[in-house]
Amino acid sequence: MNPIKQSLAAAAFGVTALLASASAFAAVATVDKPLKDFSGACESGGCGWSVAINGVELGSGQIGIDPSNGDISTAARSWRWDDGGSMVYLTGLSGNVDPFLVFGGGALNNSAADMTFAFTFSMPLIPALPVPINTFSEMGITLTPPPNAFAQVYATSSGGHIMEAQDIDILPSGARVRVNKGVDLFDESMLYTATGDGNPMTGDTQFFFQSASGSILSGGPYDIMVVTVQFGLTPGAGVGFSGKVEQIPVPEPSTYAMLGIGLATLAVVARRRRRT
């Protein structure tokens, strides 16, 4: 096996933990939503994935929605394109329309020039999310250089980040209004590099991790979430990535008031118990 491919396999990883603050927030701040209706969820073109190299799409497909719970799935979790040298692949795509998205993939540039790679994941939001919306994202990247050489992965999108997330409001006219979620990761102003020492078993691979939180305060309700991972990769280098984008509608002020009353009541009960 190609040493770079061996290093990529050894460097495989998954982002498996939710942000603790997001989980705690969701546990105490449930927002009422109408009953879900999954019929026609993908008719607006918001259920799918695609992968491109140097601007040429090499693979695409639809995601399925479990009508019992809104979980998404795809048969392409292990999709791969390989020309015998360079390759691009998906390692995972899962989530729920209520909504969160977990994704993973990677690429190997075995050519003599830089190559660009683009992964796009889109899913419907059911029911459509009203504002304000809190969003949390996290992603890790492994970068494996060729022996005795320099490697770099860098942003190539017009937005200037390797990972970008947007919500889309589909208007009655069919027009689409895109809003950035404010949780983009791996800015183009930063350098993400690694240098090989000639021995792929001595830990040449570099690991980078970022997370972000943001809010959408206007517009909507939003119908589709789109996550893109776009990057350039220097010759001989391999990269793997895994990440998550999760949205939680912000509770109404009355929810905070009820939470405060509940905490105050618990405090009063606790004081009375101590007295007795």
Side-chain angles (χ1 to χ4, degrees):
M1 180 183 288
N2 184 305
I4 301 298
K5 293 183 179 180
Q6 289 181 327
S7 298
L8 283 173
F13 67 95
V15 176
T16 59
L18 298 177
L19 293 174
S21 58
S23 299
F25 184 82
V28 301
T30 301
V31 177
D32 292 333
K33 295 182 179 180
L35 294 176
K36 296 172 184 173
D37 178 10
F38 302 114
S39 62
C42 297
E43 292 178 358
S44 59
C47 299
W49 62 270
S50 66
V51 179
I53 295 181
N54 292 336
V56 178
E57 184 177 288
L58 297 177
S60 64
Q62 294 292 304
I63 63 173
I65 301 176
D66 187 331
S68 66
N69 57 20
D71 286 349
I72 69 170
S73 63
T74 176
R77 288 179 177 173
S78 57
W79 178 87
R80 170 172 167 166
W81 176 89
D82 190 337
D83 67 355
S86 299
M87 66 177 181
V88 61
Y89 54 90
L90 294 178
T91 57
L93 181 59
S94 61
N96 189 281
V97 297
D98 204 15
F100 70 92
L101 182 68
V102 179
F103 53 90
L108 171 64
N109 178 5
N110 205 31
S111 71
D114 285 18
M115 298 178 69
T116 61
F117 300 85
F119 300 75
T120 302
F121 311 107
S122 61
M123 59 176 284
L125 306 175
I126 305 174
L129 288 185
V131 295
I133 303 169
N134 276 347
T135 304
F136 305 89
S137 71
E138 57 186 1
M139 190 170 86
I141 295 175
T142 55
L143 176 61
T144 302
N148 298 311
F150 169 84
Q152 182 176 0
V153 57
Y154 52 91
T156 57
S157 74
S158 59
H161 295 82
I162 291 179
M163 193 286 285
E164 297 179 353
Q166 296 180 326
D167 278 348
I168 299 177
D169 179 10
I170 303 178
L171 303 179
S173 64
R176 299 189 176 200
V177 179
R178 294 175 176 264
V179 176
N180 187 279
K181 300 174 64 58
V183 293
D184 298 344
L185 301 174
F186 298 102
D187 185 271
E188 64 183 354
S189 65
M190 301 294 292
L191 296 178
Y192 309 102
T193 64
T195 303
D197 63 3
N199 185 349
M201 304 304 294
T202 58
D204 295 343
T205 296
Q206 295 294 312
F207 176 70
F208 309 94
F209 177 84
Q210 289 187 5
S211 62
S213 61
S215 297
I216 294 178
L217 302 177
S218 62
Y222 293 94
D223 304 288
I224 297 174
M225 178 170 73
V226 178
V227 176
T228 59
V229 179
Q230 301 182 60
F231 54 85
L233 193 60
T234 51
V239 68
F241 64 86
S242 181
K244 178 195 70 177
V245 176
E246 180 182 16
Q247 303 180 116
I248 302 177
V250 178
E252 299 294 331
S254 59
T255 304
Y256 287 115
M258 292 177 64
L259 177 61
I261 292 172
L263 293 174
T265 301
L266 289 175
V268 171
V269 172
R271 286 197 297 269
R272 287 179 177 176
R273 286 182 177 177
R274 284 198 298 269
R275 290 173 182 173
T276 58

